[in-house]
Amino acid sequence: MADANNVIGQFKDEVLETTGEIAQDVKDSVGEMIEQGVQSAKQTPLTPQQIQQKQAEDQKKEMQTQKQITYTRKWLKDVEMAQAKVRMENQQKEQQRLQVQKQEEQATEIKKEEKKRQPVDPAIAYAGKAEIKRGVGG
């Protein structure tokens, strides 16, 4: 059980780390776009060659971002599948544990019933006990 919690904890840590990295990348990209917007408003217009170079850089960044997003989605899907597998294994273990517990309870009940059904020899039952008076003439 501790292993399952450890695996889930690792997955959680990795998810947090990856999402943090992606959030930072997005934050950086947004900051760059704002800076570029402010600069373009202040500066002279770009030449066609600069515009083309900027578009190529933007496309390259977009492709890298899309690749990272695709990788992250696949990784999250793998994490979800692993978690589902761990949950299923834990559920099976719990069912087995309950079944064993039920069988043990049934075994103890059967032993109790067998003890009740066994005939008691009166000589053995009263051996070593003080005299018990039983009705008239006893």
Side-chain angles (χ1 to χ4, degrees), residues 123-124 126-130:
I124 296 173
Y126 300 117
K129 293 186 178 180

Side-chain angles (χ1 to χ4, degrees), residues 4-54:
N5 288 338
N6 191 17
V7 170
I8 292 172
Q10 280 181 323
F11 287 144
K12 179 182 164 195
D13 293 344
E14 290 177 15
V15 167
L16 290 175
E17 183 179 319
T18 304
T19 53
E21 290 173 4
I22 291 172
Q24 186 63 37
D25 290 344
V26 170
K27 197 169 154 183
D28 291 344
S29 297
V30 169
E32 286 177 18
M33 289 189 315
I34 291 172
E35 272 183 40
Q36 289 173 0
V38 169
Q39 288 176 0
S40 66
K42 289 181 188 177
Q43 295 178 352
T44 59
L46 299 173
T47 64
Q49 184 180 5
Q50 290 174 325
I51 292 173
Q52 195 174 29
Q53 184 179 2
K54 186 176 181 306

Side-chain angles (χ1 to χ4, degrees), residues 2 19 26 34 36-37 47 54 72-73 81-82 92 95 97 103 110 117 123-127 134 138:
T19 53
V26 170
I34 291 172
Q36 289 173 0
T47 64
K54 186 176 181 306
T72 304
R73 284 182 181 155
M81 289 176 60
Q92 287 175 347
Q95 286 176 347
R97 184 190 68 79
Q103 288 174 350
I110 290 172
R117 290 183 188 156
I124 296 173
Y126 300 117
R134 299 181 178 239

Side-chain angles (χ1 to χ4, degrees), residues 3-138:
D3 290 339
N5 288 338
N6 191 17
V7 170
I8 292 172
Q10 280 181 323
F11 287 144
K12 179 182 164 195
D13 293 344
E14 290 177 15
V15 167
L16 290 175
E17 183 179 319
T18 304
T19 53
E21 290 173 4
I22 291 172
Q24 186 63 37
D25 290 344
V26 170
K27 197 169 154 183
D28 291 344
S29 297
V30 169
E32 286 177 18
M33 289 189 315
I34 291 172
E35 272 183 40
Q36 289 173 0
V38 169
Q39 288 176 0
S40 66
K42 289 181 188 177
Q43 295 178 352
T44 59
L46 299 173
T47 64
Q49 184 180 5
Q50 290 174 325
I51 292 173
Q52 195 174 29
Q53 184 179 2
K54 186 176 181 306
Q55 286 175 343
E57 288 175 7
D58 289 346
Q59 280 182 339
K60 189 175 181 180
K61 285 182 184 178
E62 179 66 25
M63 287 176 57
Q64 288 175 340
T65 303
Q66 289 298 326
K67 189 183 285 187
Q68 183 70 27
I69 289 171
T70 302
Y71 171 77
T72 304
R73 284 182 181 155
K74 181 188 177 301
W75 183 81
L76 287 172
K77 185 177 179 182
D78 292 344
V79 168
E80 288 175 1
M81 289 176 60
Q83 287 177 335
K85 182 180 176 184
V86 168
R87 277 190 218 107
M88 186 182 301
E89 288 172 356
N90 287 342
Q91 192 175 28
Q92 287 175 347
K93 287 178 184 177
E94 181 65 16
Q95 286 176 347
Q96 288 174 349
R97 184 190 68 79
L98 290 174
Q99 188 175 11
V100 167
Q101 183 180 0
K102 186 176 181 180
Q103 288 174 350
E104 288 173 355
E105 288 173 0
Q106 287 176 347
T108 56
E109 286 293 320
I110 290 172
K111 286 180 183 178
K112 286 179 184 177
E113 289 295 321
E114 286 177 358
K115 279 188 175 183
K116 287 180 183 176
R117 290 183 188 156
Q118 288 178 350
V120 178
D121 185 10
I124 296 173
Y126 300 117
K129 293 186 178 180
E131 181 179 339
I132 299 176
K133 299 196 175 199
R134 299 181 178 239
V136 180

